[in-house]
Amino acid sequence: MIDTKESLSQLVSNALQGEKYPIAKIISKIETEKNLEFRESLFQELSLQNPDTKEGLTIGITGTPGAGKSSLLGELCKLFLDFAPDKKMAIVAIDPSSNLSGGSILGDRTRVTLPRRDTRIYFRSQPSQLELGGLNPYTYHVIRFLRRIFDYVFIETVGIGQNEISVSLISDLSFLVMQPLGGDQVQFMKSGIMEVPEAFIINKCDEESLANSSYYMLESTLEFIKDILPNQSLPPIFKTSVTKRKGIEELLLYILQYQKRKDKNSETLTQLTQWIRNEYGRWGISIWEELESSKWNQAVKRNPLGGIHKLKYEEEERKIVSFIQSKIK
């Protein structure tokens, strides 16, 4: 709990200054069960103290195990401090969880080296808690909090399989990281993952000929699904090497210049659906669809062009709980 001597207001004030202990304390509270009231108070306080600040850009980094996501992210951080001296960034790294304890297995975190005392960079590990999708159940709320403080929020997922694409749903910009000649292209095209990211990274391009072969193979693979991609155009493909310091500067500049933002209403609805399914199963989804149908029909009648202006997650969550509880009674 947040004690009275260290009020939420003071914690938020210090967090907005980039102080790491208050940020960590707030996140720890977000990651506890039954935290709806705390989240409501937190985001109200953030709106009071920082009402006009634009939310930070969310960048998802996902890919196969061993593709070098952690090492690549560490190099991006080092360059970020030089290339964006007036900006701040946060990293949320989702770690594999132990089947015995449920805690994080932090072996891959040894490959990320960050300046500890710089308040412009904040790092947080989360256990996946054995959830599918590559994310932790509380990742969404942590990201919502961090992007009110930082200009850029990176999410590094657990190494993905053939259907773990959740990171793209809470990211403005998502990258799929691959290894040269790893054979991932056909598997990902088969599973639909190729349709998800806004950009691709072929990492570990230490050997030029292998890197080029992988680049053209990926480009050819994307041609097969070009018609269903946004604007029917091929997404950018970056070739990077942490060992040789190649391509990382170009990748960072692309991120810093990226302007497009995803619809946060769509993001909120996606997360609400996932939460309801986890809490109440298919029955809960059917009940919620009944509520949504009547609510959205009324909203469209009031404002046919825009519907509801901005969904507030906690308000919607409370309405859903009350509605489902009324059905149970």
Side-chain angles (χ1 to χ4, degrees), residues 92-257:
V92 177
I94 315 300
D95 298 301
S97 286
S98 166
N99 284 291
L100 297 177
S101 68
S104 295
I105 301 172
L106 295 170
D108 58 344
R109 221 42 72 217
T110 61
R111 295 190 290 274
V112 181
T113 54
L114 301 172
R116 294 182 180 179
R117 299 186 181 277
D118 198 314
T119 57
R120 290 189 295 136
I121 289 186
Y122 177 79
F123 183 91
R124 179 81 177 196
S125 280
Q126 283 188 325
S128 66
Q129 295 187 9
L130 306 178
E131 288 279 329
L132 295 177
L135 300 179
N136 175 290
Y138 302 106
T139 299
Y140 173 65
H141 299 301
V142 172
I143 296 304
R144 289 172 60 212
F145 165 61
L146 289 175
R147 65 189 180 201
R148 298 288 292 269
I149 298 173
F150 294 90
D151 301 289
Y152 297 90
V153 179
F154 288 78
I155 316 163
E156 183 202 344
T157 75
V158 174
I160 63 169
Q162 291 192 12
N163 65 344
E164 293 167 325
I165 56 176
S166 298
V167 69
S168 66
L169 304 176
I170 59 174
S171 302
D172 296 301
L173 170 62
S174 56
F175 292 93
L176 182 61
V177 185
M178 302 177 176
Q179 302 180 62
L181 300 182
D184 301 323
Q185 290 89 342
V186 174
Q187 289 297 320
F188 284 154
M189 183 175 68
K190 181 175 67 177
S191 63
I193 293 178
M194 285 289 203
E195 304 163 21
V196 174
E198 280 72 37
F200 292 81
I201 301 171
I202 302 174
N203 194 30
K204 298 187 176 180
C205 291
D206 307 330
E207 211 286 318
E208 191 68 27
S209 61
L210 289 178
N212 289 334
S213 296
S214 295
Y215 179 91
Y216 294 123
M217 188 184 300
L218 175 57
E219 191 175 51
S220 299
T221 304
L222 289 170
E223 285 285 353
F224 283 105
I225 58 172
K226 183 177 179 180
D227 291 340
I228 60 174
L229 294 174
N231 304 320
Q232 285 74 55
S233 60
L234 294 181
I237 304 171
F238 295 91
K239 294 185 292 183
T240 60
S241 169
V242 174
T243 303
K244 295 190 174 182
R245 307 290 195 274
K246 289 171 52 180
I248 301 174
E249 183 176 318
E250 291 81 1
L251 175 61
L252 178 62
L253 289 174
Y254 176 77
I255 293 170
L256 294 177
Q257 294 167 5

Side-chain angles (χ1 to χ4, degrees), residues 6-76:
E6 193 171 29
S7 68
L8 178 60
S9 176
Q10 187 60 50
L11 279 175
V12 169
S13 177
N14 293 337
L16 290 170
Q17 300 302 314
E19 294 185 26
K20 297 184 180 182
Y21 173 73
I23 294 173
K25 193 160 188 177
I26 290 172
I27 290 176
S28 293
K29 181 61 179 174
I30 292 174
E31 292 175 339
T32 59
E33 294 183 358
K34 315 267 184 212
N35 59 14
L36 175 58
E37 283 75 15
F38 174 76
R39 281 189 273 116
E40 285 182 323
S41 300
L42 171 63
F43 289 106
Q44 286 173 6
E45 190 64 38
L46 282 166
S47 297
L48 286 173
Q49 294 196 29
N50 204 20
D52 301 321
T53 299
K54 186 178 181 182
E55 290 189 350
L57 188 78
T58 313
I59 302 102
I61 307 287
T62 191
T64 52
K69 300 184 295 294
S70 299
S71 302
L72 180 61
L73 195 50
E75 289 300 312
L76 280 171

